[in-house]
Amino acid sequence: MPRPLGELEDAVMTRVWKWNRPVTVREVLEDLQQERSIAYTTVMTVMDNLHQKGWVRREAEGRAYRYEAVSTRAAYAAALMNEAWSASDNPAAALVAFFGMMSEGQREALRDAMRVVQLDEPGDTAGEAGR
């Protein structure tokens, strides 16, 4: 997994993920400028770095590029959780501690996700009947 995103990289990727379409540096710049003072060249450098790191793909459009996310925010979050869990010397204890930190809404989302995974297991005839 690539390194976690930095603060500005995350701000840029948040927009790319949210808009879910190819975007230009100018579009990201204008949206970021609603929150902070930032230069075009800074955003261009960050987006180029994200391309070099494999977070976005880009396609030339005239003299500029349009950038598009390579994966989803959910996939990024899952990779971060997996990386943290894999680094534990006691994965079961890490999970118990993590579950203890979850809100009721997060626990419900976990239960929903577990049901989806269980329905998708090969050879699960109960899941097939419910589809």
Side-chain angles (χ1 to χ4, degrees):
M1 179 190 98
R3 288 187 333 218
L5 297 171
E7 186 264 332
L8 189 51
E9 290 174 329
D10 186 69
V12 169
M13 284 305 300
T14 294
R15 284 148 179 86
V16 174
W17 282 318
K18 182 175 85 176
W19 296 335
N20 197 29
R21 60 172 173 77
V23 299
T24 64
V25 171
R26 176 78 48 206
E27 290 174 304
V28 174
L29 170 72
E30 289 173 358
D31 200 62
L32 283 170
Q33 285 179 330
Q34 295 177 28
E35 299 172 0
R36 64 178 87 194
S37 176
I38 190 166
Y40 180 92
T41 53
T42 301
V43 177
M44 183 175 64
T45 298
V46 169
M47 294 184 82
D48 184 61
N49 289 344
L50 288 167
H51 175 256
Q52 298 298 322
K53 292 177 179 181
W55 288 106
V56 294
R57 66 177 69 86
R58 67 184 181 192
E59 190 170 315
E61 184 176 277
R63 292 179 17 193
Y65 289 104
R66 283 205 174 265
Y67 295 84
E68 185 173 15
V70 170
S71 66
T72 65
R73 178 153 238 14
Y76 169 65
L80 289 178
M81 289 187 287
N82 187 57
E83 181 79 10
W85 185 48
S86 297
S88 173
D89 62 347
N90 187 338
L95 282 175
V96 169
F98 179 65
F99 295 156
M101 294 178 206
M102 295 173 116
S103 68
E104 182 53 39
Q106 290 169 322
R107 285 191 295 273
E108 185 59 34
L110 175 63
R111 285 189 286 274
D112 291 344
M114 291 300 297
R115 281 190 287 273
V116 168
V117 170
Q118 289 170 351
L119 289 175
D120 288 343
E121 288 180 359
D124 182 7
T125 56
E128 294 298 321
R131 290 188 186 162

